Coordinates of all heavy atoms in Angstrom, one line a residue:
R250 N 23.7 -14.5 2.8 CA 24.2 -15.8 3.0 C 23.1 -16.8 3.5 O 22.0 -16.3 4.0 CB 25.1 -15.9 4.1 CG 26.5 -15.2 3.8 CD 27.5 -15.5 4.9 NE 28.2 -14.3 5.2 CZ 29.2 -14.3 6.0 NH1 29.7 -15.3 6.5 NH2 29.9 -13.1 6.2
F251 N 23.2 -18.0 3.1 CA 22.2 -19.0 3.6 C 22.7 -19.6 4.9 O 23.9 -19.9 5.0 CB 22.1 -20.1 2.5 CG 21.6 -19.7 1.1 CD1 22.4 -19.4 0.0 CD2 20.1 -19.6 1.0 CE1 21.8 -18.9 -1.1 CE2 19.6 -19.3 -0.1 CZ 20.4 -18.9 -1.2
L252 N 21.7 -19.7 5.8 CA 22.0 -20.3 7.2 C 22.5 -21.6 7.0 O 23.3 -22.1 7.8 CB 20.8 -20.1 8.1 CG 20.4 -18.7 8.4 CD1 19.2 -18.7 9.3 CD2 21.6 -18.1 9.2
S253 N 22.0 -22.4 6.0 CA 22.3 -23.9 5.9 C 23.8 -24.0 5.4 O 24.4 -25.0 5.7 CB 21.4 -24.5 5.0 OG 21.4 -23.8 3.8
D254 N 24.3 -23.0 4.7 CA 25.6 -23.1 4.1 C 26.2 -21.7 4.1 O 26.1 -21.0 3.1 CB 25.6 -23.6 2.7 CG 27.0 -23.9 2.1 OD1 28.0 -23.7 2.9 OD2 27.1 -24.3 1.0
P255 N 26.9 -21.2 5.2 CA 27.4 -19.8 5.3 C 28.3 -19.4 4.1 O 28.6 -18.2 4.0 CB 28.0 -19.8 6.7 CG 27.5 -20.9 7.4 CD 27.1 -22.0 6.3
D256 N 28.9 -20.4 3.5 CA 29.9 -20.1 2.5 C 29.2 -19.8 1.0 O 30.0 -19.4 0.2 CB 30.9 -21.3 2.4 CG 31.8 -21.4 3.6 OD1 32.1 -20.3 4.3 OD2 32.2 -22.5 3.9
T257 N 28.0 -20.0 1.1 CA 27.2 -19.8 -0.3 C 26.6 -18.5 -0.2 O 25.8 -18.2 0.7 CB 26.2 -20.9 -0.5 OG1 26.7 -22.2 -0.5 CG2 25.4 -20.7 -1.8

Side-chain angles (χ1 to χ4, degrees):
R250 285 188 226 194
F251 292 96
L252 293 176
S253 59
D254 185 8
D256 294 328
T257 302

